[in-house]
Amino acid sequence: MRLVFSFLVTAVALLGCAATPPPSAPLPVSSITIDTALGPVKFRVEVAADDVSRDYGLMNRKYMRPNDGMLFDFQQPSQVSFWMKDTILPLDMLFVRADGTIANIKHDARPFSLLPIPAAEPVRAVIEINGGRAKALGIEAGQTVHNPIFHNAR
């Protein structure tokens, strides 16, 4: 009986470690502009708008250009939480309300961490950029992100 229990525990643990497969096609690309106290900042972002692409996110990426990132679009306000499992790069996570304003920011999320990183409230989207960029560019909670999903594109 102890052997059966050990086998079941091992099987469940291995299932939990199964690799998330990457999306089968390249993600669409969009641009965002964030209004900061230092002026507007533009990013080129891949758009993860379905379950597969949102689950995979930026896992296993070894490099991202300074003004690149990923926009996770949940289509409607949702209470979301992220983690850094299989994510090599430190990231800043911008949690964005449906009106395009930044609700909260997680600065320098630690690579490979399994700790949850939650939104402070329901958000329409999360934007991941290279760790340290938000502080360097003056990006703060309350500022506005412009993109068609927020109906405020420039």
Side-chain angles (χ1 to χ4, degrees):
M1 186 57 135
R2 180 179 273 180
L3 181 62
V4 172
F5 179 74
S6 295
F7 174 76
L8 288 174
V9 168
T10 302
V12 170
L14 289 174
L15 284 174
C17 294
T20 303
S24 58
L27 296 177
V29 174
S30 186
S31 63
I32 63 168
T33 301
I34 303 173
D35 294 334
T36 76
L38 304 174
V41 177
K42 294 186 179 199
F43 287 90
R44 178 191 165 277
V45 292
E46 294 176 66
V47 180
D50 60 40
D51 289 340
V52 171
S53 60
R54 284 190 302 258
D55 285 349
Y56 194 75
L58 291 172
M59 286 181 182
N60 302 310
R61 302 272 180 107
K62 294 179 181 170
Y63 175 78
M64 189 164 57
R65 291 184 300 189
N67 281 22
D68 280 0
M70 184 167 283
L71 170 69
F72 295 81
D73 182 6
F74 293 95
Q75 276 89 55
Q76 61 185 9
S78 303
Q79 186 62 52
V80 299
S81 185
F82 279 57
W83 66 356
M84 295 289 289
K85 181 181 185 294
D86 297 327
T87 305
I88 298 167
L89 302 170
L91 299 172
D92 289 344
M93 296 180 189
L94 316 177
F95 295 87
V96 186
R97 298 178 185 103
D99 69 357
T101 58
I102 300 172
N104 64 296
I105 300 174
K106 170 59 178 168
H107 295 278
D108 290 308
R110 190 168 45 98
F112 302 107
S113 174
L114 299 180
L115 294 175
I117 302 167
E121 59 187 78
V123 294
R124 163 75 192 253
V126 177
I127 300 165
E128 292 182 341
I129 59 177
N130 283 301
R133 294 294 286 159
K135 284 183 181 173
L137 297 170
I139 299 170
E140 300 176 352
Q143 294 173 339
T144 301
V145 177
H146 297 275
N147 182 272
I149 71 165
F150 305 118
H151 307 289
N152 66 1
R154 290 185 174 166

